[in-house]
Amino acid sequence: MASLQFHGGTDENVGYAARDLDVPRVRQLFGVHLKIQWAIGMMPVPSLPAWVPDWLQSLLRLFTIGHCLLVLFISLHLGVLFCKTTLDAMPTGKLEDITDALTMTIIYFFTVYATSYWCLRSERMLRFLSHINHEYRHHSLAGVSFVNMHSTYRWFRSVTLVWLAACMGGTISWGITPLVLRNRTLPLHCWYPFDAMDERFYSLVYATQLYGQIIVGAVFAYGGFMFVTISFLLLGQFDVLYCSLKNLDAHARLLAGESLQALSVVQRDLLLDDATCERGQYAVLEEHATDLSCFESTGRQSPLSLTKAAHEALVECVRLHRFILGCAAEMEQLFSPYCLFKSLQITLQLCLLVFVGVSGSREAMRVINQLQYLSLTTVELLMFTYCGELLRRHSVRVVEAFGRGAWWQHASAMRQDVLIFLVNSHRAVQVTAGKFYVMDITRLRLVITQAFSFLTLLQKLAAKKTVAGS
C-alpha cells in the first residue's frame, strides 16, 4: 500500500472527486479469475477462508485434487487417442485426415501441458495476485488531477468473461454438433480400442469427448485472459505513475498548505482544454480534475516545506516504479515458458486449420467449426502480442511524464534522484517466449508468416499427391 502522504496526508480512502468519477478501491481484483481457475481444475491447493471447518477444508482439497487429476486424464487420453489416429492416417496419404487428427493432437497435448503448468504454478500465481491486490495504487499521487484504476478493473473483468464465453462457445459448439444435426455420431473422430458406437459405450464416450471440449475451451481461455488482465493492470499502474510525476509540483504545493485559489491556478495550467490537451498521455486510464475541496475538508498532517514535500513525492513515485518492475519481472517468469509453447502451438494450429479449411470438405457445420477455431486462435495470438507491444512501448515514457509537470522548480533538491530515476526507466518491460523472442507485434507478423509458409508446403504436397494419383 502507498504511504499516507501519497493520498495528500489524509485517509488512504479519501475521494479525489465525486464518486461517479472516483470509484473506491476494489478489495479483490481477481475474484472472478480465481473462481474460474478453481472451477476448471487448475488450482490443486485452493485458498479457503479461515471460517471453513477443518474437516470440510480437507474434503474440499481432496475433491479439488481429484478434479485436477480428472481434467488431466481426460485431456491426456484424448491426446493419446488422436496421436494413434494420426499414425493410422499417415499410411493412407490422405492429407485431410492427417491434418484433422494432427490438429486435435496438438490441441489436446497443449491442453495437458497448460493444465499441468498452471497446476504446478498455482501457488506462485496466488502469491503474485495477492501481492498485486494488496500493493497496487488505486489513485495517482494527490494533486490537481488524478487517474483511477477502477476503469481498468471493469475493462479486464469484462474481457475475461467475454473471452471465456467465446472460447467455451467455440469448443462446445463443436461438441454438440451431432446433437444439433441429430446424428448418432461422435463429435471427435478418433481411434478407440473398442467399438465406441456400441450402445454400451456411446453415451459415456460422447460425454467424455464433450467434457474434453469444455476443458479445451476453459484452459485456452485461462492463459489468454490472465495475460491480458496482468498486462492491463501494469499499464494502469504506469498511467498512475505518469500522472503522479505530472503532479509532483502540485502535490508538493498541496502538502505545503497552499490555498485553494493558488492550487486552482496550477490546475488550470496543468489541465489544458480539449483543443490544446496532449493526446495519448495514458494507455488505459482517463485523467480527471481533482475536487480540491476534498482535501480542505479533511484533516491533513502538519504542512511540509515545498522542497521536502516534492522530494518525498518523488520517493513515492520511485517505490511505485519498483513495484511495477517487480510485477513485470514476475509476470515474465510465470508466462515466459507458457508463451514459448503457446507460440509453437498457435503457429502449427493456424497452418493446419487454414489448410483444412481450404482443402477439406464443405459441410456447413464443419466449416463453421473450423472458422470458430481459426478465429479464436488468431485473436488469442493478437491478445498476447498486442498486450506485449503496449507494455513495451508504454513502459519507457517516464521522460515524457516528467516533461508535463513543473518538477524543475524543485530541481536543486532532487536533481540527482531524478537522473537516477530516468536512467533506471530506460529499459523497456518485455514479456518473452522462453527468453528466445519478445511477444510483440513483430512476433505476430512472424507467426503468421511461418504459418502460411507451412500452409504453402502442405498445399504443394497435396498437389503432388493429386498429380500422382491421376
Side-chain angles (χ1 to χ4, degrees):
M1 298 287 287
S3 70
L4 197 60
Q5 181 193 321
F6 197 89
H7 306 283
T10 64
D11 177 23
E12 64 183 23
N13 295 316
V14 64
Y16 288 11
R19 283 308 184 192
D20 58 335
L21 293 178
D22 187 20
V23 184
R25 182 186 180 94
V26 178
R27 293 183 178 274
Q28 175 54 268
L29 292 171
F30 307 103
V32 172
H33 304 76
L34 295 178
K35 290 174 184 175
I36 293 173
Q37 185 179 359
W38 177 81
I40 62 180
M42 293 198 293
M43 188 187 293
V45 185
S47 179
L48 299 174
W51 53 264
V52 178
D54 291 341
W55 66 270
L56 185 56
Q57 288 194 19
S58 301
L59 187 62
L60 287 173
R61 287 195 172 96
L62 185 63
F63 169 79
T64 303
I65 293 174
H67 183 211
C68 293
L69 292 176
L70 177 63
V71 168
L72 278 171
F73 171 75
I74 290 178
S75 304
L76 181 60
H77 101 275
L78 284 173
V80 171
L81 293 178
F82 273 112
C83 185
K84 177 66 167 62
T85 306
T86 305
L87 294 175
D88 289 345
M90 283 183 175
T92 66
K94 297 180 180 179
L95 285 179
E96 182 180 343
D97 293 341
I98 296 172
T99 52
D100 270 347
L102 186 58
T103 300
M104 300 308 297
T105 302
I106 292 171
I107 288 174
Y108 275 100
F109 274 122
F110 180 81
T111 302
V112 173
Y113 165 76
T115 305
S116 305
Y117 181 83
W118 292 122
C119 281
L120 294 174
R121 293 292 185 102
S122 62
E123 291 189 48
R124 184 172 180 177
M125 177 67 84
L126 284 175
R127 290 194 300 269
F128 179 45
L129 298 182
S130 177
H131 174 65
I132 294 177
N133 201 64
H134 185 259
E135 297 293 336
Y136 85 98
R137 270 57 163 187
H138 181 60
H139 288 119
S140 56
L141 199 69
V144 296
S145 67
F146 72 94
V147 292
N148 182 300
M149 282 289 291
H150 189 267
S151 58
T152 301
Y153 164 74
R154 188 173 62 248
W155 193 92
F156 71 64
R157 191 173 184 272
S158 300
V159 168
T160 295
L161 297 176
V162 169
W163 180 241
L164 178 66
C167 290
M168 296 288 282
T171 54
I172 292 176
S173 64
W174 189 300
I176 64 174
T177 297
L179 296 179
V180 173
L181 298 178
R182 296 183 179 181
N183 291 334
R184 194 177 182 280
T185 58
L186 292 172
L188 305 176
H189 303 289
C190 58
W191 174 87
Y192 279 95
F194 52 85
D195 184 8
M197 299 302 296
D198 191 288
E199 293 183 356
R200 295 171 297 173
F201 307 116
Y202 177 75
S203 297
L204 178 60
V205 172
Y206 195 107
T208 302
Q209 291 190 356
L210 181 58
Y211 189 45
Q213 286 296 97
I214 293 173
I215 292 170
V216 168
V219 170
F220 275 57
Y222 177 80
F225 69 62
M226 284 306 300
F227 189 89
V228 171
T229 293
I230 298 174
S231 296
F232 272 79
L233 267 171
L234 294 183
L235 287 169
Q237 289 295 279
F238 273 116
D239 284 349
V240 169
L241 173 64
Y242 297 157
C243 188
S244 300
L245 293 173
K246 179 179 179 178
N247 278 273
L248 275 179
D249 176 61
H251 178 79
R253 294 177 183 276
L254 178 68
L255 291 190
E258 287 204 8
S259 64
L260 291 186
Q261 290 77 10
L263 290 171
S264 297
V265 173
V266 176
Q267 189 175 60
R268 284 195 299 270
D269 292 339
L270 200 61
L271 291 177
L272 304 175
D273 57 35
D274 292 339
T276 56
C277 182
E278 178 186 351
R279 303 296 181 182
Q281 294 183 47
Y282 307 107
V284 292
L285 301 183
E286 184 178 353
E287 188 177 23
H288 304 284
T290 302
D291 184 358
L292 298 174
S293 61
C294 294
F295 297 100
E296 183 184 44
S297 59
T298 53
R300 292 203 301 267
Q301 298 172 348
S302 57
L304 302 174
S305 68
L306 270 175
T307 302
K308 183 177 181 182
H311 184 266
E312 291 186 0
L314 180 62
V315 170
E316 289 295 330
C317 291
V318 170
R319 288 175 179 166
L320 174 56
H321 191 238
R322 287 178 177 174
F323 164 72
I324 298 172
L325 294 183
C327 291
E330 182 65 12
M331 180 185 180
E332 162 72 6
Q333 291 297 318
L334 283 169
F335 280 94
S336 182
Y338 179 81
C339 287
L340 177 63
F341 286 94
K342 170 59 68 175
S343 297
L344 178 62
Q345 174 254 325
I346 287 177
T347 302
L348 296 175
Q349 193 171 318
L350 273 178
C351 164
L352 294 173
L353 285 173
V354 173
F355 177 78
V356 171
V358 171
S359 306
S361 63
R362 294 294 186 269
E363 298 175 10
M365 290 303 298
R366 178 184 173 84
V367 171
I368 292 173
N369 288 334
Q370 293 286 353
L371 286 175
Q372 286 176 334
Y373 267 53
L374 180 62
S375 301
L376 291 173
T377 303
T378 306
V379 171
E380 185 180 29
L381 174 62
L382 181 62
M383 288 166 60
F384 277 87
T385 54
Y386 180 67
C387 289
E389 181 74 14
L390 282 179
L391 269 177
R392 185 179 65 83
R393 289 175 177 268
H394 198 57
S395 60
V396 290
R397 301 181 65 187
V398 170
V399 176
E400 298 176 30
F402 267 117
R404 299 185 188 108
W407 66 273
W408 47 267
Q409 297 183 17
H410 318 283
S412 59
M414 47 196 283
R415 183 186 297 110
Q416 185 176 1
D417 297 314
V418 170
L419 290 175
I420 294 173
F421 190 10
L422 292 176
V423 170
N424 291 335
S425 65
H426 275 230
R427 185 176 181 183
V429 168
Q430 294 180 339
V431 180
T432 66
K435 309 293 184 183
F436 289 107
Y437 43 80
V438 179
M439 297 297 289
D440 56 13
I441 295 300
T442 301
R443 187 59 199 165
L444 171 66
R445 178 178 58 82
L446 290 175
V447 167
I448 293 177
T449 302
Q450 290 169 356
F452 279 89
S453 297
F454 288 134
L455 171 63
T456 303
L457 178 62
L458 286 176
Q459 287 179 323
K460 288 182 178 179
L461 290 174
K464 288 182 179 179
K465 176 72 176 178
T466 303
V467 173
S470 61

